[in-house]
PDB file of all heavy atoms in Angstrom:
ATOM      1  N   LYS A 188     -15.482  17.605   3.468  1.00  0.00           N
ATOM      2  CA  LYS A 188     -14.225  18.121   2.914  1.00  0.00           C
ATOM      3  C   LYS A 188     -13.052  17.969   3.876  1.00  0.00           C
ATOM      4  O   LYS A 188     -12.008  18.605   3.697  1.00  0.00           O
ATOM      5  CB  LYS A 188     -14.356  19.598   2.493  1.00  0.00           C
ATOM      6  CG  LYS A 188     -15.488  19.896   1.517  1.00  0.00           C
ATOM      7  CD  LYS A 188     -15.364  19.181   0.198  1.00  0.00           C
ATOM      8  CE  LYS A 188     -16.453  19.578  -0.776  1.00  0.00           C
ATOM      9  NZ  LYS A 188     -17.801  19.076  -0.424  1.00  0.00           N
ATOM     10  N   GLU A 189     -13.194  17.123   4.871  1.00  0.00           N
ATOM     11  CA  GLU A 189     -12.083  16.882   5.790  1.00  0.00           C
ATOM     12  C   GLU A 189     -10.981  16.112   5.068  1.00  0.00           C
ATOM     13  O   GLU A 189     -11.249  15.135   4.362  1.00  0.00           O
ATOM     14  CB  GLU A 189     -12.567  16.093   7.010  1.00  0.00           C
ATOM     15  CG  GLU A 189     -11.459  15.832   8.030  1.00  0.00           C
ATOM     16  CD  GLU A 189     -11.982  15.263   9.348  1.00  0.00           C
ATOM     17  OE1 GLU A 189     -13.216  15.131   9.516  1.00  0.00           O
ATOM     18  OE2 GLU A 189     -11.145  14.938  10.198  1.00  0.00           O
ATOM     19  N   ALA A 190      -9.723  16.560   5.235  1.00  0.00           N
ATOM     20  CA  ALA A 190      -8.590  15.879   4.601  1.00  0.00           C
ATOM     21  C   ALA A 190      -8.447  14.470   5.170  1.00  0.00           C
ATOM     22  O   ALA A 190      -8.644  14.255   6.366  1.00  0.00           O
ATOM     23  CB  ALA A 190      -7.318  16.677   4.830  1.00  0.00           C
ATOM     24  N   ILE A 191      -8.125  13.516   4.299  1.00  0.00           N
ATOM     25  CA  ILE A 191      -7.957  12.131   4.727  1.00  0.00           C
ATOM     26  C   ILE A 191      -6.519  11.950   5.200  1.00  0.00           C
ATOM     27  O   ILE A 191      -5.589  12.041   4.405  1.00  0.00           O
ATOM     28  CB  ILE A 191      -8.266  11.161   3.566  1.00  0.00           C
ATOM     29  CG1 ILE A 191      -9.715  11.356   3.092  1.00  0.00           C
ATOM     30  CG2 ILE A 191      -8.022   9.718   3.988  1.00  0.00           C
ATOM     31  CD1 ILE A 191     -10.072  10.563   1.845  1.00  0.00           C
ATOM     32  N   ALA A 192      -6.341  11.722   6.497  1.00  0.00           N
ATOM     33  CA  ALA A 192      -4.989  11.628   7.054  1.00  0.00           C
ATOM     34  C   ALA A 192      -4.690  10.190   7.475  1.00  0.00           C
ATOM     35  O   ALA A 192      -5.570   9.493   7.970  1.00  0.00           O
ATOM     36  CB  ALA A 192      -4.872  12.566   8.253  1.00  0.00           C
ATOM     37  N   PRO A 193      -3.443   9.743   7.274  1.00  0.00           N
ATOM     38  CA  PRO A 193      -3.078   8.375   7.651  1.00  0.00           C
ATOM     39  C   PRO A 193      -3.167   8.170   9.162  1.00  0.00           C
ATOM     40  O   PRO A 193      -3.009   9.106   9.934  1.00  0.00           O
ATOM     41  CB  PRO A 193      -1.626   8.252   7.168  1.00  0.00           C
ATOM     42  CG  PRO A 193      -1.128   9.651   7.025  1.00  0.00           C
ATOM     43  CD  PRO A 193      -2.320  10.481   6.685  1.00  0.00           C
ATOM     44  N   GLY A 194      -3.434   6.918   9.558  1.00  0.00           N
ATOM     45  CA  GLY A 194      -3.425   6.593  10.978  1.00  0.00           C
ATOM     46  C   GLY A 194      -4.578   7.170  11.768  1.00  0.00           C
ATOM     47  O   GLY A 194      -4.515   7.291  12.981  1.00  0.00           O
ATOM     48  N   ARG A 195      -5.646   7.547  11.082  1.00  0.00           N
ATOM     49  CA  ARG A 195      -6.831   8.044  11.789  1.00  0.00           C
ATOM     50  C   ARG A 195      -8.041   7.212  11.395  1.00  0.00           C
ATOM     51  O   ARG A 195      -8.107   6.668  10.296  1.00  0.00           O
ATOM     52  CB  ARG A 195      -7.118   9.506  11.430  1.00  0.00           C
ATOM     53  CG  ARG A 195      -6.026  10.462  11.798  1.00  0.00           C
ATOM     54  CD  ARG A 195      -6.503  11.898  11.616  1.00  0.00           C
ATOM     55  NE  ARG A 195      -7.404  12.295  12.691  1.00  0.00           N
ATOM     56  CZ  ARG A 195      -6.974  12.866  13.821  1.00  0.00           C
ATOM     57  NH1 ARG A 195      -5.706  13.106  14.011  1.00  0.00           N
ATOM     58  NH2 ARG A 195      -7.828  13.201  14.765  1.00  0.00           N
ATOM     59  N   VAL A 196      -8.989   7.120  12.320  1.00  0.00           N
ATOM     60  CA  VAL A 196     -10.221   6.378  12.050  1.00  0.00           C
ATOM     61  C   VAL A 196     -11.361   7.378  11.875  1.00  0.00           C
ATOM     62  O   VAL A 196     -11.590   8.230  12.737  1.00  0.00           O
ATOM     63  CB  VAL A 196     -10.551   5.408  13.204  1.00  0.00           C
ATOM     64  CG1 VAL A 196     -11.869   4.693  12.938  1.00  0.00           C
ATOM     65  CG2 VAL A 196      -9.418   4.406  13.395  1.00  0.00           C
ATOM     66  N   TYR A 197     -12.036   7.302  10.724  1.00  0.00           N
ATOM     67  CA  TYR A 197     -13.131   8.222  10.408  1.00  0.00           C
ATOM     68  C   TYR A 197     -14.436   7.453  10.396  1.00  0.00           C
ATOM     69  O   TYR A 197     -14.585   6.478   9.660  1.00  0.00           O
ATOM     70  CB  TYR A 197     -12.910   8.852   9.037  1.00  0.00           C
ATOM     71  CG  TYR A 197     -11.642   9.646   8.935  1.00  0.00           C
ATOM     72  CD1 TYR A 197     -10.467   9.057   8.474  1.00  0.00           C
ATOM     73  CD2 TYR A 197     -11.613  10.986   9.303  1.00  0.00           C
ATOM     74  CE1 TYR A 197      -9.292   9.791   8.381  1.00  0.00           C
ATOM     75  CE2 TYR A 197     -10.444  11.723   9.205  1.00  0.00           C
ATOM     76  CZ  TYR A 197      -9.288  11.122   8.745  1.00  0.00           C
ATOM     77  OH  TYR A 197      -8.145  11.858   8.658  1.00  0.00           O
ATOM     78  N   LEU A 198     -15.363   7.910  11.187  1.00  0.00           N
ATOM     79  CA  LEU A 198     -16.662   7.276  11.256  1.00  0.00           C
ATOM     80  C   LEU A 198     -17.671   8.112  10.458  1.00  0.00           C
ATOM     81  O   LEU A 198     -17.691   9.336  10.580  1.00  0.00           O
ATOM     82  CB  LEU A 198     -17.081   7.214  12.729  1.00  0.00           C
ATOM     83  CG  LEU A 198     -18.328   6.439  13.092  1.00  0.00           C
ATOM     84  CD1 LEU A 198     -18.136   4.955  12.801  1.00  0.00           C
ATOM     85  CD2 LEU A 198     -18.629   6.652  14.580  1.00  0.00           C
ATOM     86  N   ALA A 199     -18.494   7.446   9.636  1.00  0.00           N
ATOM     87  CA  ALA A 199     -19.524   8.192   8.896  1.00  0.00           C
ATOM     88  C   ALA A 199     -20.540   8.746   9.889  1.00  0.00           C
ATOM     89  O   ALA A 199     -21.023   8.013  10.747  1.00  0.00           O
ATOM     90  CB  ALA A 199     -20.226   7.272   7.904  1.00  0.00           C
TER      91      ALA A 199
END
Side-chain angles (χ1 to χ4, degrees):
Chain A
K188 305 299 184 289
E189 181 170 356
I191 300 173
R195 298 189 75 90
V196 177
Y197 300 93
L198 188 65

